[in-house]
Amino acid sequence: MKLYQRIFIFLIFTLTISLIKAQDAGFTVQGAVQDHTMQGLNGVNIFVENTKINTKTDQNGNFKISYKKGEATLVFSLDGYKKLKKKINFGSGVPPVNIQLAEDRAAVQEVVVHGKGRVKALQDGAFTVSAIDVAKLANTTADLNQVLNRTTGIKVRQQGGIGSDYNFSINGMSGKAVKFFIDGVPLEMLGKGVDLSTLPVNMADRVEIYKGVVPIHLSTDAMGGAVNIITPSSSRNYLDASISLGSFNTQRINLNGQFKDDKTGIIMRINSFYNHSDNNYLMKDMKIWNAAKNEYELKDLKRFNDRYQSVFGMAEVGLENKSWADSFFVGMSQSVFDKQIQTGSNQEVVYGGVKQNGQAHNYFMKYKKTGLFNDHLDVNVYAGFSKSVQKATDTLMRKYSWDNTFEPSATSEKGGRTIIMQHEDRLYSQLGATYKIVEHHKLIFNYVLDYLKNTTFNQLEEEKKNVPPAKMTKQILSMAYQQEFFNKHWTNIFFAKYYQVGLQKMVFDPVTRTDNPAKDNFSSWGYGFATTVKITKGLGIKGSFERSYRLVEPQEIFGDGVAVTSNMNLKPETSNNVNVGLYYGHHWGQHAFRIEGAGYIRDTKDFIYTVPNLYNSTFKYENLSNIFTRGLEGEISYQYKRLLNVLMNVSYNKAYDNTKFANNSEDVVSATYKKDVPNQPWLFGNVNVSVGKDDWFQKDSRIELYYGLQMTEWFYKNWKSYGNPRNIPIIPRQTLHNIGISYSMKNGRYNLAFDVSNVGDALAYDNFKLQKQGRAFYIKFRYLLK
């Protein structure tokens, strides 16, 4: 019997048993639990007294619970708050229940250690996920890339400073195999000026990092994993403003806010930021020609063509908690960026006049409604349209050196005098639905339509009206069945995804020496499952498997006009992903301890990877037949009250070429067979320690000290089998130290932070052995009114 047949029979069997054993739970009561400030409480335990029927509040304090008709007592409890009981009459037409819990002052200290919020609930779920409570880091000067780079299994490697391109890796899978979302919507919809290196931490409430298998509510072809940035969703009025200044003329300004009109219920939100940096850090031991001595000399010189600045603004208006919608918002955003390009994949090739700028507009609508069809159906809809223009300029007929001198050249800096214009129109829509069959059993559906039109041309030679656009239409249909047994101690999720992509592009014909229109289509099914078993209160195991596809991305096919050249012949990837994990948490008194471990396997066909062009320092995406990846990761954390936090993690990743015969031959063994994939760290880890004290200098204040260590073991820059084994370029071991201090007053209203990165000014490298900045200083002031 085939695997899919067994899975189908198992699903039918478990669904039948569930229907037979379904309780008479057709009457639902819903409501909200708040604290004394009317703020919704997350993770409140709610159960029907003298039964095993229970639920928890969501991140906004809302809850739903079903029981048979008649009167029953609901019990509400949460660490740090006094337990409350309320009699409810279950039946038709029961109005919403509003509960307010009073603080239990004697237990407040233990809430910080033992409270199980949204972050911990995700970590204990069926998927392999790291969840970061970014709200706790809002006072630091770090951007989201720097925050995530401290996480288990994550490696972020930038080309340069703020605003530069970067390689984001999850468990060894990187590039476009990893997808980025903000509230479940692709981050690319906001424009090139908005990414993890420019987003301020103040804009995020938490970040969810899914490794390998991705839940279908994101409905993506993210074969390597996904990062979902969750923004604050409170209905309260607030204002969050900050300004950060630092080395290399770095300036970051962030303003977020929300206003709710109590009379009409209309909510208005704004998110905005500004980034600027000269990125003129010191490059060490650069080769400079000394004409007098007729030889090269090594000098330390500053970067001179790497300025970056970006502006982003988003406004939305809507309503919440209406009879026809739980939430409905419409909005728009605009982003503008301007960046100079100092170098590409090879820092020996330096540019003095290459630059890129652009802007993007985005218009969107969000709708959410739960509790339809007698509390069985939840619906979530998103529709958005974005329009962006990017311009890449390479017109100087010069060849630069690191001392900002140049020689006349017969070609431009990148080899061809160009002003590349790239126009993109994108329509993205998503429909999600969850149908509760019976208690603890539900079906989940998600459909995504992603349409993109790309017109790229050299403005010096062509006009837009004469260039036929390339088009991509991507559709992904996802379905899942989730079941929970033994009071949610065992959870299973079975899912299937249908992938379909259509390409309309121009392909070069070597016979006629012309570009001709061509169409290319791909479609296939993927499938998988995820399971978790909670053995005890703190101990659990989890596992997942997925047969997945990773569709090609616009930038990989069309290029970006600057660093990435086009490859119209790129094919989708396919992979079998396996994940297993174990976690254990324990607390005693005011101490808390947690340990997590995970292992994974990725068996990938037609692996898409970046290939550097050393001649002009650009990149190109190509397919490599087979790549096999396996790895291990572990994390240990300890917390004592609100005084001490210690977090240590380590990641091991082994990826090698599993293509035995080169070029589809049967007798020529590939030179890279069984060799490690180059330019990919195989061992790295982090240690983070913070010490904090409340009410030290004054009442309602907090001071916190931070220390972070980042270690990356040496790894090969190029294929081990190419060249003399003793002269293969490697990227040496790196150990970086970071420190910081923050001080908050008036219960967090006024905040001041000071951070020092790379304290020892160590020589550090990133993607393709490109030098990173040395020691840097940053200061930040934040004002929070809520």
Side-chain angles (χ1 to χ4, degrees):
M1 185 179 294
K2 295 182 178 180
L3 176 61
Y4 72 87
Q5 292 176 322
R6 294 177 180 177
I7 294 175
F8 178 77
I9 292 173
F10 178 74
L11 291 175
I12 294 298
F13 175 76
T14 53
L15 181 58
T16 302
I17 295 298
S18 303
L19 290 170
I20 293 174
K21 299 178 65 176
Q23 305 176 47
D24 181 16
F27 296 96
T28 300
V29 168
Q30 61 182 352
V33 183
Q34 300 173 325
D35 61 13
H36 68 285
T37 67
M38 307 305 290
Q39 173 72 18
L41 291 174
N42 177 35
V44 177
N45 296 295
I46 306 168
F47 64 92
V48 179
E49 193 173 39
N50 300 321
T51 74
K52 293 184 178 180
I53 296 175
N54 65 89
T55 188
K56 290 180 180 291
T57 57
D58 63 16
Q59 60 186 7
N60 298 317
N62 299 318
F63 73 91
K64 294 179 181 179
I65 190 167
S66 299
Y67 192 55
K68 62 185 179 181
K69 186 175 183 179
E71 189 177 74
T73 300
L74 291 184
V75 181
F76 301 82
S77 66
L78 179 66
D79 289 339
Y81 294 85
K82 295 179 180 179
K83 184 182 293 187
L84 185 145
K85 295 184 179 182
K86 185 176 181 65
K87 288 187 176 181
I88 301 294
N89 187 23
F90 283 84
S92 58
V94 178
V97 177
N98 293 314
I99 301 296
Q100 188 175 88
L101 295 184
E103 280 192 352
D104 184 355
R105 292 291 182 180
V108 166
Q109 285 291 338
E110 294 198 22
V111 172
V112 179
V113 177
H114 304 153
K116 181 173 180 178
R118 178 66 173 169
V119 168
K120 189 173 183 298
L122 280 168
Q123 292 173 330
D124 293 353
F127 295 97
T128 302
V129 57
S130 293
I132 303 173
D133 189 353
V134 182
K136 296 179 180 179
L137 306 173
N139 290 334
T140 67
T141 64
D143 56 45
L144 285 179
N145 255 346
Q146 294 168 329
V147 170
L148 298 183
N149 201 27
R150 309 167 189 167
T151 308
T152 312
I154 307 300
K155 197 64 181 174
V156 183
R157 294 179 292 152
Q158 288 195 241
Q159 305 287 90
I162 294 174
S164 63
D165 293 337
Y166 58 87
N167 178 286
F168 191 101
S169 172
I170 300 179
N171 290 159
M173 303 294 286
S174 59
K176 300 301 181 179
V178 178
K179 298 295 193 296
F180 302 94
F181 299 85
I182 181 164
D183 292 327
V185 179
L187 195 59
E188 295 96 323
M189 290 292 290
L190 301 183
K192 187 176 174 63
V194 184
D195 58 33
L196 296 187
S197 70
T198 58
L199 276 173
V201 292
N202 303 47
M203 276 188 64
D205 183 61
R206 69 179 186 277
V207 178
E208 303 167 356
I209 307 165
Y210 296 94
K211 303 174 182 178
V213 180
V214 178
I216 72 166
H217 73 266
L218 295 178
S219 200
T220 179
D221 56 324
M223 189 171 63
V227 176
N228 191 20
I229 303 163
I230 308 298
T231 58
S233 58
S234 170
S235 296
R236 294 191 308 168
N237 294 339
Y238 72 90
L239 177 66
D240 190 347
S242 67
I243 181 170
S244 175
L245 305 173
S247 300
F248 322 119
N249 193 25
T250 298
Q251 307 156 36
R252 293 175 179 263
I253 301 174
N254 175 224
L255 177 65
N256 305 322
Q258 177 173 282
F259 172 76
K260 180 177 181 179
D261 182 70
D262 293 331
K263 185 176 181 179
T264 63
I266 296 176
I267 298 175
M268 292 172 284
R269 296 172 181 163
I270 183 172
N271 290 278
S272 61
F273 63 77
Y274 167 76
N275 293 304
H276 174 95
S277 181
D278 291 342
N279 289 320
N280 58 341
Y281 59 86
L282 204 64
M283 299 290 290
K284 300 178 181 179
D285 294 332
M286 294 294 100
K287 287 184 178 180
I288 301 297
W289 179 251
N290 188 324
K293 295 182 179 180
N294 196 34
E295 64 181 20
Y296 283 101
E297 295 179 338
L298 298 180
K299 291 186 177 182
D300 296 345
L301 298 163
K302 288 186 177 181
R303 299 168 77 96
F304 59 89
N305 186 53
D306 208 19
R307 187 199 68 244
Y308 176 85
Q309 58 185 4
S310 65
V311 180
F312 171 77
M314 179 169 68
E316 52 186 317
V317 59
L319 297 163
E320 289 183 339
N321 300 320
K322 299 298 181 181
S323 59
W324 51 274
D326 293 343
S327 67
F328 174 76
F329 283 88
V330 294
M332 65 174 294
S333 71
Q334 181 169 1
S335 63
V336 179
F337 78 96
D338 181 19
K339 64 186 292 187
Q340 298 173 327
I341 311 296
Q342 183 70 87
T343 185
S345 63
N346 179 9
Q347 67 184 23
E348 302 301 324
V349 179
V350 57
Y351 308 136
V354 179
K355 59 185 179 181
Q356 185 182 30
N357 56 62
Q359 59 180 323
H361 307 269
N362 177 38
Y363 308 91
F364 60 89
M365 180 275 293
K366 299 185 292 186
Y367 173 81
K368 182 179 180 181
K369 176 60 180 174
T370 61
L372 298 171
F373 297 108
N374 197 23
D375 197 32
H376 282 274
L377 180 66
D378 300 338
V379 176
N380 187 25
V381 180
Y382 174 90
F385 173 76
S386 68
K387 190 177 186 67
S388 66
V389 180
Q390 296 178 30
K391 179 181 179 181
T393 304
D394 174 29
T395 57
L396 296 184
M397 310 297 281
R398 299 173 179 177
K399 183 178 180 179
Y400 275 85
S401 297
W402 273 109
D403 59 357
N404 202 3
T405 62
F406 61 88
E407 297 288 339
S409 174
T411 63
S412 67
E413 297 183 81
K414 296 170 89 308
R417 189 168 179 268
T418 58
I419 299 179
I420 301 296
M421 300 296 299
Q422 191 171 73
H423 295 256
E424 283 191 356
D425 296 338
R426 187 171 186 176
L427 175 65
Y428 181 89
S429 60
Q430 178 171 310
L431 171 63
T434 300
Y435 184 79
K436 185 176 72 174
I437 307 168
V438 293
E439 194 72 15
H440 306 305
H441 295 265
K442 60 185 177 182
L443 296 174
I444 308 169
F445 300 90
N446 212 57
Y447 171 73
V448 162
L449 172 63
D450 191 356
Y451 170 80
L452 182 139
K453 182 174 71 172
N454 178 291
T455 306
T456 301
F457 59 96
N458 183 357
Q459 194 178 52
L460 298 179
E461 301 176 354
E462 303 171 292
E463 294 184 18
K464 181 184 177 184
K465 63 181 181 180
N466 298 325
V467 178
K471 301 177 182 179
M472 173 185 290
T473 303
K474 183 188 298 184
Q475 299 181 78
I476 302 176
L477 174 64
S478 305
M479 299 169 286
Y481 165 50
Q482 179 174 321
Q483 53 184 202
E484 297 170 336
F485 299 109
F486 311 118
N487 196 23
K488 298 185 179 181
H489 278 71
W490 181 24
T491 300
N492 295 315
I493 303 172
F494 302 91
F495 59 88
K497 297 180 181 179
Y498 177 73
Y499 307 87
Q500 195 277 334
V501 62
L503 285 173
Q504 182 179 323
K505 55 190 178 180
M506 301 299 292
V507 177
F508 180 73
D509 187 338
V511 177
T512 62
R513 309 292 296 175
T514 59
D515 289 331
N516 297 317
K519 292 184 178 181
D520 188 13
N521 293 283
F522 171 85
S523 62
S524 189
W525 280 92
Y527 53 87
F529 71 90
T531 184
T532 181
V533 179
K534 298 178 182 179
I535 302 172
T536 65
K537 182 179 180 180
L539 176 64
I541 58 175
K542 61 176 70 177
S544 58
F545 165 80
E546 181 179 24
R547 169 73 172 180
S548 64
Y549 290 87
R550 205 273 276 185
L551 308 179
V552 291
E553 289 294 313
Q555 181 177 315
E556 296 171 331
I557 298 177
F558 309 133
D560 67 353
V562 180
V564 181
T565 56
S566 65
N567 181 3
M568 293 296 188
N569 298 316
L570 205 61
K571 298 183 294 184
E573 293 179 352
T574 179
S575 180
N576 293 320
N577 299 334
V578 178
N579 303 274
V580 293
L582 173 74
Y583 64 88
Y584 174 71
H586 181 68
H587 61 80
W588 62 100
Q590 296 177 344
H591 303 264
F593 169 82
R594 183 178 174 90
I595 183 170
E596 295 183 57
Y600 56 88
I601 292 174
R602 311 277 187 265
D603 186 7
T604 309
K605 313 296 182 186
D606 294 321
F607 180 75
I608 298 175
Y609 71 118
T610 53
V611 178
N613 185 333
L614 300 182
Y615 174 73
N616 60 12
S617 198
T618 60
F619 298 89
K620 184 178 182 180
Y621 289 94
E622 292 186 355
N623 291 107
L624 190 64
S625 296
N626 303 321
I627 293 292
F628 191 85
T629 306
R630 62 177 182 267
L632 297 169
E633 61 182 37
E635 180 176 286
I636 298 175
S637 62
Y638 167 77
Q639 183 176 356
Y640 175 65
K641 295 184 178 180
R642 284 170 51 88
L643 179 65
L644 175 65
N645 270 282
V646 180
L647 176 67
M648 297 181 290
N649 60 57
V650 63
S651 303
Y652 166 82
N653 182 81
K654 178 79 169 180
Y656 61 85
D657 181 7
N658 204 28
T659 308
K660 186 172 183 178
F661 298 108
N663 301 320
N664 296 319
S665 68
E666 296 182 359
D667 53 3
V668 180
V669 177
S670 172
T672 59
Y673 180 53
K674 296 296 183 182
K675 300 299 189 299
D676 293 348
V677 175
N679 191 45
Q680 190 172 108
W682 61 275
L683 182 65
F684 51 93
N686 300 272
V687 177
N688 298 295
V689 180
S690 64
V691 179
K693 179 67 175 175
D694 293 322
D695 304 329
W696 194 3
F697 296 114
Q698 58 181 333
K699 187 180 179 182
D700 298 329
S701 69
R702 178 172 176 81
I703 188 170
E704 193 159 331
L705 302 173
Y706 163 79
Y707 166 76
L709 178 148
Q710 294 176 296
M711 188 283 295
T712 305
E713 187 56 280
W714 70 270
F715 56 97
Y716 289 110
K717 179 185 176 184
N718 299 330
W719 286 103
K720 183 180 179 181
S721 54
Y722 291 162
N724 189 326
R726 290 178 294 182
N727 296 322
I728 299 173
I730 68 168
I731 299 177
R733 176 189 297 168
Q734 302 170 66
T735 304
L736 306 181
H737 305 269
N738 308 296
I739 60 174
I741 183 172
S742 65
Y743 184 65
S744 299
M745 298 166 283
K746 299 291 185 180
N747 283 322
R749 176 170 293 187
Y750 306 101
N751 308 273
L752 187 66
F754 177 71
D755 295 315
V756 184
S757 62
N758 194 357
V759 176
D761 198 27
L763 183 59
Y765 303 98
D766 237 324
N767 206 20
F768 289 106
K769 205 177 180 178
L770 301 174
Q771 283 191 28
K772 295 195 292 187
Q773 66 186 33
R775 184 188 301 114
F777 303 88
Y778 302 95
I779 188 170
K780 177 179 179 179
F781 173 75
R782 179 185 181 221
Y783 174 78
L784 177 63
L785 177 64
K786 60 181 181 179

